[in-house]
PDB file of all heavy atoms in Angstrom:
ATOM      1  N   LYS A 747     -43.935 -37.972  80.383  1.00 39.00           N
ATOM      2  CA  LYS A 747     -45.236 -37.353  80.700  1.00 39.00           C
ATOM      3  C   LYS A 747     -45.262 -35.907  80.217  1.00 39.00           C
ATOM      4  O   LYS A 747     -44.233 -35.231  80.193  1.00 39.00           O
ATOM      5  CB  LYS A 747     -45.514 -37.426  82.203  1.00 39.00           C
ATOM      6  CG  LYS A 747     -44.300 -37.099  83.055  1.00 39.00           C
ATOM      7  CD  LYS A 747     -44.602 -37.189  84.533  1.00 39.00           C
ATOM      8  CE  LYS A 747     -43.335 -36.976  85.354  1.00 39.00           C
ATOM      9  NZ  LYS A 747     -43.574 -36.979  86.782  1.00 39.00           N
ATOM     10  N   PRO A 748     -46.413 -35.440  79.814  1.00 40.00           N
ATOM     11  CA  PRO A 748     -46.551 -34.133  79.131  1.00 40.00           C
ATOM     12  C   PRO A 748     -46.393 -32.944  80.076  1.00 40.00           C
ATOM     13  O   PRO A 748     -47.300 -32.157  80.257  1.00 40.00           O
ATOM     14  CB  PRO A 748     -47.973 -34.192  78.567  1.00 40.00           C
ATOM     15  CG  PRO A 748     -48.704 -35.116  79.507  1.00 40.00           C
ATOM     16  CD  PRO A 748     -47.696 -36.119  79.974  1.00 40.00           C
ATOM     17  N   THR A 749     -45.224 -32.837  80.584  1.00 38.00           N
ATOM     18  CA  THR A 749     -44.860 -31.887  81.636  1.00 38.00           C
ATOM     19  C   THR A 749     -45.609 -30.572  81.765  1.00 38.00           C
ATOM     20  O   THR A 749     -45.432 -29.648  81.005  1.00 38.00           O
ATOM     21  CB  THR A 749     -43.388 -31.496  81.458  1.00 38.00           C
ATOM     22  OG1 THR A 749     -43.190 -31.222  80.081  1.00 38.00           O
ATOM     23  CG2 THR A 749     -42.484 -32.573  81.931  1.00 38.00           C
ATOM     24  N   ARG A 750     -46.385 -30.465  82.783  1.00 37.00           N
ATOM     25  CA  ARG A 750     -46.884 -29.189  83.320  1.00 37.00           C
ATOM     26  C   ARG A 750     -47.730 -28.351  82.376  1.00 37.00           C
ATOM     27  O   ARG A 750     -48.199 -28.804  81.359  1.00 37.00           O
ATOM     28  CB  ARG A 750     -45.690 -28.333  83.803  1.00 37.00           C
ATOM     29  CG  ARG A 750     -44.742 -29.138  84.663  1.00 37.00           C
ATOM     30  CD  ARG A 750     -44.625 -28.574  86.010  1.00 37.00           C
ATOM     31  NE  ARG A 750     -43.837 -29.505  86.839  1.00 37.00           N
ATOM     32  CZ  ARG A 750     -43.406 -29.215  88.041  1.00 37.00           C
ATOM     33  NH1 ARG A 750     -43.663 -28.046  88.554  1.00 37.00           N
ATOM     34  NH2 ARG A 750     -42.741 -30.087  88.749  1.00 37.00           N
ATOM     35  N   THR A 751     -47.858 -27.139  82.771  1.00 38.00           N
ATOM     36  CA  THR A 751     -48.777 -26.254  82.080  1.00 38.00           C
ATOM     37  C   THR A 751     -48.271 -25.797  80.716  1.00 38.00           C
ATOM     38  O   THR A 751     -48.953 -25.870  79.733  1.00 38.00           O
ATOM     39  CB  THR A 751     -49.033 -24.997  82.921  1.00 38.00           C
ATOM     40  OG1 THR A 751     -47.772 -24.477  83.315  1.00 38.00           O
ATOM     41  CG2 THR A 751     -49.846 -25.329  84.144  1.00 38.00           C
ATOM     42  N   ARG A 752     -47.127 -25.240  80.655  1.00 42.00           N
ATOM     43  CA  ARG A 752     -46.543 -24.791  79.425  1.00 42.00           C
ATOM     44  C   ARG A 752     -45.279 -24.039  79.772  1.00 42.00           C
ATOM     45  O   ARG A 752     -44.198 -24.553  79.680  1.00 42.00           O
ATOM     46  CB  ARG A 752     -47.460 -23.856  78.610  1.00 42.00           C
ATOM     47  CG  ARG A 752     -46.765 -23.310  77.344  1.00 42.00           C
ATOM     48  CD  ARG A 752     -46.467 -24.429  76.361  1.00 42.00           C
ATOM     49  NE  ARG A 752     -47.594 -25.286  76.126  1.00 42.00           N
ATOM     50  CZ  ARG A 752     -48.544 -25.057  75.196  1.00 42.00           C
ATOM     51  NH1 ARG A 752     -48.424 -24.033  74.398  1.00 42.00           N
ATOM     52  NH2 ARG A 752     -49.554 -25.865  75.043  1.00 42.00           N
ATOM     53  N   ARG A 753     -45.508 -22.916  80.329  1.00 50.00           N
ATOM     54  CA  ARG A 753     -44.411 -21.982  80.505  1.00 50.00           C
ATOM     55  C   ARG A 753     -43.273 -22.612  81.322  1.00 50.00           C
ATOM     56  O   ARG A 753     -42.164 -22.134  81.300  1.00 50.00           O
ATOM     57  CB  ARG A 753     -44.906 -20.720  81.198  1.00 50.00           C
ATOM     58  CG  ARG A 753     -46.126 -20.118  80.472  1.00 50.00           C
ATOM     59  CD  ARG A 753     -46.312 -18.695  80.849  1.00 50.00           C
ATOM     60  NE  ARG A 753     -46.089 -18.492  82.272  1.00 50.00           N
ATOM     61  CZ  ARG A 753     -45.535 -17.411  82.763  1.00 50.00           C
ATOM     62  NH1 ARG A 753     -45.156 -16.463  81.948  1.00 50.00           N
ATOM     63  NH2 ARG A 753     -45.369 -17.285  84.053  1.00 50.00           N
ATOM     64  N   ARG A 754     -43.581 -23.680  82.013  1.00 57.00           N
ATOM     65  CA  ARG A 754     -42.497 -24.342  82.722  1.00 57.00           C
ATOM     66  C   ARG A 754     -42.054 -25.575  81.968  1.00 57.00           C
ATOM     67  O   ARG A 754     -42.471 -26.686  82.244  1.00 57.00           O
ATOM     68  CB  ARG A 754     -42.941 -24.713  84.132  1.00 57.00           C
ATOM     69  CG  ARG A 754     -43.166 -23.489  84.981  1.00 57.00           C
ATOM     70  CD  ARG A 754     -43.022 -23.823  86.427  1.00 57.00           C
ATOM     71  NE  ARG A 754     -42.983 -22.591  87.227  1.00 57.00           N
ATOM     72  CZ  ARG A 754     -43.052 -22.568  88.539  1.00 57.00           C
ATOM     73  NH1 ARG A 754     -43.166 -23.698  89.196  1.00 57.00           N
ATOM     74  NH2 ARG A 754     -42.993 -21.436  89.195  1.00 57.00           N
ATOM     75  N   THR A 755     -41.208 -25.362  81.012  1.00 68.00           N
ATOM     76  CA  THR A 755     -40.653 -26.485  80.281  1.00 68.00           C
ATOM     77  C   THR A 755     -39.638 -27.191  81.153  1.00 68.00           C
ATOM     78  O   THR A 755     -39.295 -26.735  82.229  1.00 68.00           O
ATOM     79  CB  THR A 755     -39.951 -25.991  79.016  1.00 68.00           C
ATOM     80  OG1 THR A 755     -38.826 -25.211  79.426  1.00 68.00           O
ATOM     81  CG2 THR A 755     -40.877 -25.133  78.191  1.00 68.00           C
ATOM     82  N   ASP A 756     -39.137 -28.313  80.664  1.00 71.00           N
ATOM     83  CA  ASP A 756     -38.128 -29.030  81.423  1.00 71.00           C
ATOM     84  C   ASP A 756     -36.901 -28.163  81.631  1.00 71.00           C
ATOM     85  O   ASP A 756     -36.358 -28.090  82.724  1.00 71.00           O
ATOM     86  CB  ASP A 756     -37.731 -30.311  80.679  1.00 71.00           C
ATOM     87  CG  ASP A 756     -38.809 -31.373  80.854  1.00 71.00           C
ATOM     88  OD1 ASP A 756     -39.778 -31.108  81.606  1.00 71.00           O
ATOM     89  OD2 ASP A 756     -38.675 -32.438  80.247  1.00 71.00           O
ATOM     90  N   ALA A 757     -36.486 -27.510  80.567  1.00 75.00           N
ATOM     91  CA  ALA A 757     -35.285 -26.685  80.667  1.00 75.00           C
ATOM     92  C   ALA A 757     -35.478 -25.589  81.708  1.00 75.00           C
ATOM     93  O   ALA A 757     -34.592 -25.305  82.513  1.00 75.00           O
ATOM     94  CB  ALA A 757     -34.947 -26.071  79.310  1.00 75.00           C
ATOM     95  N   THR A 758     -36.665 -25.022  81.689  1.00 81.00           N
ATOM     96  CA  THR A 758     -36.953 -23.962  82.648  1.00 81.00           C
ATOM     97  C   THR A 758     -36.873 -24.476  84.078  1.00 81.00           C
ATOM     98  O   THR A 758     -36.280 -23.858  84.953  1.00 81.00           O
ATOM     99  CB  THR A 758     -38.362 -23.390  82.385  1.00 81.00           C
ATOM    100  OG1 THR A 758     -38.341 -22.747  81.127  1.00 81.00           O
ATOM    101  CG2 THR A 758     -38.755 -22.409  83.454  1.00 81.00           C
ATOM    102  N   VAL A 759     -37.497 -25.635  84.283  1.00 82.00           N
ATOM    103  CA  VAL A 759     -37.464 -26.210  85.631  1.00 82.00           C
ATOM    104  C   VAL A 759     -36.028 -26.518  86.034  1.00 82.00           C
ATOM    105  O   VAL A 759     -35.607 -26.219  87.155  1.00 82.00           O
ATOM    106  CB  VAL A 759     -38.327 -27.480  85.677  1.00 82.00           C
ATOM    107  CG1 VAL A 759     -38.112 -28.200  86.991  1.00 82.00           C
ATOM    108  CG2 VAL A 759     -39.797 -27.117  85.497  1.00 82.00           C
ATOM    109  N   ASP A 760     -35.280 -27.102  85.132  1.00 87.00           N
ATOM    110  CA  ASP A 760     -33.899 -27.449  85.449  1.00 87.00           C
ATOM    111  C   ASP A 760     -33.104 -26.217  85.843  1.00 87.00           C
ATOM    112  O   ASP A 760     -32.377 -26.224  86.830  1.00 87.00           O
ATOM    113  CB  ASP A 760     -33.224 -28.106  84.225  1.00 87.00           C
ATOM    114  CG  ASP A 760     -33.730 -29.523  84.035  1.00 87.00           C
ATOM    115  OD1 ASP A 760     -34.512 -29.991  84.881  1.00 87.00           O
ATOM    116  OD2 ASP A 760     -33.341 -30.153  83.040  1.00 87.00           O
ATOM    117  N   ARG A 761     -33.263 -25.200  85.079  1.00 91.00           N
ATOM    118  CA  ARG A 761     -32.488 -23.987  85.373  1.00 91.00           C
ATOM    119  C   ARG A 761     -32.896 -23.406  86.725  1.00 91.00           C
ATOM    120  O   ARG A 761     -32.058 -22.994  87.505  1.00 91.00           O
ATOM    121  CB  ARG A 761     -32.736 -22.965  84.260  1.00 91.00           C
ATOM    122  CG  ARG A 761     -32.051 -21.664  84.458  1.00 91.00           C
ATOM    123  CD  ARG A 761     -30.816 -21.403  83.621  1.00 91.00           C
ATOM    124  NE  ARG A 761     -30.760 -22.028  82.340  1.00 91.00           N
ATOM    125  CZ  ARG A 761     -29.989 -21.610  81.352  1.00 91.00           C
ATOM    126  NH1 ARG A 761     -29.270 -20.506  81.515  1.00 91.00           N
ATOM    127  NH2 ARG A 761     -29.937 -22.253  80.221  1.00 91.00           N
ATOM    128  N   ARG A 762     -34.186 -23.401  86.931  1.00 95.00           N
ATOM    129  CA  ARG A 762     -34.668 -22.915  88.226  1.00 95.00           C
ATOM    130  C   ARG A 762     -34.073 -23.721  89.367  1.00 95.00           C
ATOM    131  O   ARG A 762     -33.624 -23.170  90.376  1.00 95.00           O
ATOM    132  CB  ARG A 762     -36.193 -23.025  88.251  1.00 95.00           C
ATOM    133  CG  ARG A 762     -36.863 -22.276  89.360  1.00 95.00           C
ATOM    134  CD  ARG A 762     -38.372 -22.544  89.347  1.00 95.00           C
ATOM    135  NE  ARG A 762     -38.878 -22.645  90.696  1.00 95.00           N
ATOM    136  CZ  ARG A 762     -39.403 -21.626  91.357  1.00 95.00           C
ATOM    137  NH1 ARG A 762     -39.501 -20.466  90.780  1.00 95.00           N
ATOM    138  NH2 ARG A 762     -39.816 -21.777  92.596  1.00 95.00           N
ATOM    139  N   GLU A 763     -34.033 -25.017  89.180  1.00 96.00           N
ATOM    140  CA  GLU A 763     -33.472 -25.856  90.228  1.00 96.00           C
ATOM    141  C   GLU A 763     -31.984 -25.602  90.412  1.00 96.00           C
ATOM    142  O   GLU A 763     -31.474 -25.599  91.528  1.00 96.00           O
ATOM    143  CB  GLU A 763     -33.706 -27.338  89.893  1.00 96.00           C
ATOM    144  CG  GLU A 763     -35.154 -27.769  90.008  1.00 96.00           C
ATOM    145  CD  GLU A 763     -35.726 -27.515  91.396  1.00 96.00           C
ATOM    146  OE1 GLU A 763     -35.100 -27.946  92.379  1.00 96.00           O
ATOM    147  OE2 GLU A 763     -36.780 -26.857  91.488  1.00 96.00           O
ATOM    148  N   SER A 764     -31.308 -25.392  89.310  1.00 96.00           N
ATOM    149  CA  SER A 764     -29.863 -25.181  89.440  1.00 96.00           C
ATOM    150  C   SER A 764     -29.578 -23.856  90.141  1.00 96.00           C
ATOM    151  O   SER A 764     -28.579 -23.713  90.848  1.00 96.00           O
ATOM    152  CB  SER A 764     -29.188 -25.234  88.063  1.00 96.00           C
ATOM    153  OG  SER A 764     -29.360 -24.019  87.381  1.00 96.00           O
ATOM    154  N   ILE A 765     -30.465 -22.897  89.966  1.00 97.00           N
ATOM    155  CA  ILE A 765     -30.315 -21.650  90.713  1.00 97.00           C
ATOM    156  C   ILE A 765     -30.526 -21.902  92.204  1.00 97.00           C
ATOM    157  O   ILE A 765     -29.742 -21.469  93.043  1.00 97.00           O
ATOM    158  CB  ILE A 765     -31.317 -20.593  90.209  1.00 97.00           C
ATOM    159  CG1 ILE A 765     -30.954 -20.153  88.793  1.00 97.00           C
ATOM    160  CG2 ILE A 765     -31.326 -19.384  91.135  1.00 97.00           C
ATOM    161  CD1 ILE A 765     -31.990 -19.256  88.138  1.00 97.00           C
ATOM    162  N   LEU A 766     -31.584 -22.653  92.501  1.00 98.00           N
ATOM    163  CA  LEU A 766     -31.857 -22.928  93.912  1.00 98.00           C
ATOM    164  C   LEU A 766     -30.713 -23.721  94.546  1.00 98.00           C
ATOM    165  O   LEU A 766     -30.359 -23.494  95.705  1.00 98.00           O
ATOM    166  CB  LEU A 766     -33.180 -23.682  94.053  1.00 98.00           C
ATOM    167  CG  LEU A 766     -34.432 -22.839  93.789  1.00 98.00           C
ATOM    168  CD1 LEU A 766     -35.688 -23.688  93.899  1.00 98.00           C
ATOM    169  CD2 LEU A 766     -34.504 -21.668  94.752  1.00 98.00           C
ATOM    170  N   ASP A 767     -30.146 -24.631  93.780  1.00 97.00           N
ATOM    171  CA  ASP A 767     -29.015 -25.403  94.313  1.00 97.00           C
ATOM    172  C   ASP A 767     -27.827 -24.504  94.614  1.00 97.00           C
ATOM    173  O   ASP A 767     -27.203 -24.593  95.677  1.00 97.00           O
ATOM    174  CB  ASP A 767     -28.601 -26.495  93.316  1.00 97.00           C
ATOM    175  CG  ASP A 767     -29.605 -27.640  93.274  1.00 97.00           C
ATOM    176  OD1 ASP A 767     -30.485 -27.686  94.164  1.00 97.00           O
ATOM    177  OD2 ASP A 767     -29.534 -28.471  92.359  1.00 97.00           O
ATOM    178  N   ALA A 768     -27.534 -23.639  93.670  1.00 97.00           N
ATOM    179  CA  ALA A 768     -26.394 -22.743  93.875  1.00 97.00           C
ATOM    180  C   ALA A 768     -26.647 -21.806  95.047  1.00 97.00           C
ATOM    181  O   ALA A 768     -25.750 -21.528  95.855  1.00 97.00           O
ATOM    182  CB  ALA A 768     -26.131 -21.936  92.601  1.00 97.00           C
ATOM    183  N   ALA A 769     -27.880 -21.353  95.146  1.00 98.00           N
ATOM    184  CA  ALA A 769     -28.219 -20.452  96.253  1.00 98.00           C
ATOM    185  C   ALA A 769     -28.074 -21.176  97.588  1.00 98.00           C
ATOM    186  O   ALA A 769     -27.540 -20.630  98.554  1.00 98.00           O
ATOM    187  CB  ALA A 769     -29.645 -19.937  96.082  1.00 98.00           C
ATOM    188  N   LEU A 770     -28.537 -22.413  97.610  1.00 98.00           N
ATOM    189  CA  LEU A 770     -28.429 -23.195  98.843  1.00 98.00           C
ATOM    190  C   LEU A 770     -26.981 -23.278  99.297  1.00 98.00           C
ATOM    191  O   LEU A 770     -26.648 -23.018 100.462  1.00 98.00           O
ATOM    192  CB  LEU A 770     -28.988 -24.595  98.596  1.00 98.00           C
ATOM    193  CG  LEU A 770     -28.922 -25.566  99.763  1.00 98.00           C
ATOM    194  CD1 LEU A 770     -29.703 -25.021 100.944  1.00 98.00           C
ATOM    195  CD2 LEU A 770     -29.467 -26.935  99.347  1.00 98.00           C
ATOM    196  N   GLU A 771     -26.140 -23.623  98.370  1.00 96.00           N
ATOM    197  CA  GLU A 771     -24.706 -23.723  98.664  1.00 96.00           C
ATOM    198  C   GLU A 771     -24.184 -22.425  99.300  1.00 96.00           C
ATOM    199  O   GLU A 771     -23.527 -22.432 100.337  1.00 96.00           O
ATOM    200  CB  GLU A 771     -23.950 -23.995  97.349  1.00 96.00           C
ATOM    201  CG  GLU A 771     -22.453 -24.057  97.474  1.00 96.00           C
ATOM    202  CD  GLU A 771     -21.969 -25.462  97.788  1.00 96.00           C
ATOM    203  OE1 GLU A 771     -22.716 -26.423  97.502  1.00 96.00           O
ATOM    204  OE2 GLU A 771     -20.864 -25.590  98.339  1.00 96.00           O
ATOM    205  N   CYS A 772     -24.521 -21.318  98.671  1.00 96.00           N
ATOM    206  CA  CYS A 772     -24.016 -20.023  99.172  1.00 96.00           C
ATOM    207  C   CYS A 772     -24.627 -19.642 100.508  1.00 96.00           C
ATOM    208  O   CYS A 772     -23.928 -19.194 101.416  1.00 96.00           O
ATOM    209  CB  CYS A 772     -24.307 -18.923  98.149  1.00 96.00           C
ATOM    210  SG  CYS A 772     -23.425 -19.108  96.599  1.00 96.00           S
ATOM    211  N   PHE A 773     -25.926 -19.816 100.616  1.00 96.00           N
ATOM    212  CA  PHE A 773     -26.604 -19.394 101.848  1.00 96.00           C
ATOM    213  C   PHE A 773     -26.085 -20.178 103.050  1.00 96.00           C
ATOM    214  O   PHE A 773     -25.957 -19.640 104.152  1.00 96.00           O
ATOM    215  CB  PHE A 773     -28.113 -19.584 101.715  1.00 96.00           C
ATOM    216  CG  PHE A 773     -28.760 -18.601 100.783  1.00 96.00           C
ATOM    217  CD1 PHE A 773     -30.020 -18.837 100.249  1.00 96.00           C
ATOM    218  CD2 PHE A 773     -28.108 -17.420 100.435  1.00 96.00           C
ATOM    219  CE1 PHE A 773     -30.622 -17.921  99.396  1.00 96.00           C
ATOM    220  CE2 PHE A 773     -28.701 -16.499  99.572  1.00 96.00           C
ATOM    221  CZ  PHE A 773     -29.957 -16.754  99.055  1.00 96.00           C
ATOM    222  N   VAL A 774     -25.812 -21.463 102.832  1.00 96.00           N
ATOM    223  CA  VAL A 774     -25.307 -22.264 103.944  1.00 96.00           C
ATOM    224  C   VAL A 774     -23.941 -21.739 104.387  1.00 96.00           C
ATOM    225  O   VAL A 774     -23.648 -21.657 105.578  1.00 96.00           O
ATOM    226  CB  VAL A 774     -25.210 -23.744 103.537  1.00 96.00           C
ATOM    227  CG1 VAL A 774     -24.354 -24.513 104.521  1.00 96.00           C
ATOM    228  CG2 VAL A 774     -26.598 -24.345 103.458  1.00 96.00           C
ATOM    229  N   LEU A 775     -23.140 -21.356 103.422  1.00 93.00           N
ATOM    230  CA  LEU A 775     -21.783 -20.921 103.774  1.00 93.00           C
ATOM    231  C   LEU A 775     -21.752 -19.526 104.380  1.00 93.00           C
ATOM    232  O   LEU A 775     -21.049 -19.275 105.341  1.00 93.00           O
ATOM    233  CB  LEU A 775     -20.881 -20.958 102.528  1.00 93.00           C
ATOM    234  CG  LEU A 775     -20.541 -22.352 102.018  1.00 93.00           C
ATOM    235  CD1 LEU A 775     -19.696 -22.255 100.757  1.00 93.00           C
ATOM    236  CD2 LEU A 775     -19.786 -23.135 103.084  1.00 93.00           C
ATOM    237  N   ARG A 776     -22.501 -18.621 103.772  1.00 93.00           N
ATOM    238  CA  ARG A 776     -22.348 -17.221 104.188  1.00 93.00           C
ATOM    239  C   ARG A 776     -23.655 -16.548 104.604  1.00 93.00           C
ATOM    240  O   ARG A 776     -23.670 -15.355 104.897  1.00 93.00           O
ATOM    241  CB  ARG A 776     -21.735 -16.415 103.031  1.00 93.00           C
ATOM    242  CG  ARG A 776     -20.252 -16.670 102.837  1.00 93.00           C
ATOM    243  CD  ARG A 776     -19.718 -15.937 101.633  1.00 93.00           C
ATOM    244  NE  ARG A 776     -20.372 -16.356 100.405  1.00 93.00           N
ATOM    245  CZ  ARG A 776     -20.106 -17.478  99.742  1.00 93.00           C
ATOM    246  NH1 ARG A 776     -19.186 -18.298 100.185  1.00 93.00           N
ATOM    247  NH2 ARG A 776     -20.759 -17.783  98.643  1.00 93.00           N
ATOM    248  N   GLY A 777     -24.735 -17.295 104.602  1.00 94.00           N
ATOM    249  CA  GLY A 777     -26.004 -16.704 105.005  1.00 94.00           C
ATOM    250  C   GLY A 777     -26.633 -15.881 103.898  1.00 94.00           C
ATOM    251  O   GLY A 777     -26.006 -15.593 102.875  1.00 94.00           O
ATOM    252  N   PHE A 778     -27.861 -15.493 104.135  1.00 95.00           N
ATOM    253  CA  PHE A 778     -28.606 -14.761 103.116  1.00 95.00           C
ATOM    254  C   PHE A 778     -27.974 -13.406 102.822  1.00 95.00           C
ATOM    255  O   PHE A 778     -27.651 -13.082 101.680  1.00 95.00           O
ATOM    256  CB  PHE A 778     -30.053 -14.570 103.599  1.00 95.00           C
ATOM    257  CG  PHE A 778     -30.899 -13.741 102.687  1.00 95.00           C
ATOM    258  CD1 PHE A 778     -31.320 -14.243 101.467  1.00 95.00           C
ATOM    259  CD2 PHE A 778     -31.278 -12.462 103.052  1.00 95.00           C
ATOM    260  CE1 PHE A 778     -32.111 -13.479 100.618  1.00 95.00           C
ATOM    261  CE2 PHE A 778     -32.074 -11.692 102.213  1.00 95.00           C
ATOM    262  CZ  PHE A 778     -32.480 -12.198 101.004  1.00 95.00           C
ATOM    263  N   HIS A 779     -27.761 -12.641 103.865  1.00 94.00           N
ATOM    264  CA  HIS A 779     -27.223 -11.288 103.661  1.00 94.00           C
ATOM    265  C   HIS A 779     -25.760 -11.321 103.217  1.00 94.00           C
ATOM    266  O   HIS A 779     -25.272 -10.356 102.633  1.00 94.00           O
ATOM    267  CB  HIS A 779     -27.354 -10.475 104.944  1.00 94.00           C
ATOM    268  CG  HIS A 779     -28.756 -10.118 105.287  1.00 94.00           C
ATOM    269  ND1 HIS A 779     -29.517  -9.296 104.490  1.00 94.00           N
ATOM    270  CD2 HIS A 779     -29.543 -10.464 106.330  1.00 94.00           C
ATOM    271  CE1 HIS A 779     -30.712  -9.154 105.045  1.00 94.00           C
ATOM    272  NE2 HIS A 779     -30.760  -9.850 106.156  1.00 94.00           N
ATOM    273  N   GLY A 780     -25.085 -12.402 103.489  1.00 94.00           N
ATOM    274  CA  GLY A 780     -23.673 -12.488 103.121  1.00 94.00           C
ATOM    275  C   GLY A 780     -23.442 -13.013 101.718  1.00 94.00           C
ATOM    276  O   GLY A 780     -22.297 -13.126 101.280  1.00 94.00           O
TER     277      GLY A 780
END
Side-chain angles (χ1 to χ4, degrees):
Chain A
K747 43 180 175 177
T749 46
R750 312 240 172 171
T751 50
R752 176 66 48 87
R753 307 199 319 144
R754 292 204 169 170
T755 66
D756 283 356
T758 294
V759 171
D760 286 356
R761 178 104 29 159
R762 194 184 142 94
E763 290 303 308
S764 79
I765 292 172
L766 288 178
D767 287 348
L770 178 60
E771 177 89 22
C772 294
F773 288 162
V774 165
L775 290 178
R776 285 176 299 282
F778 176 72
H779 290 296

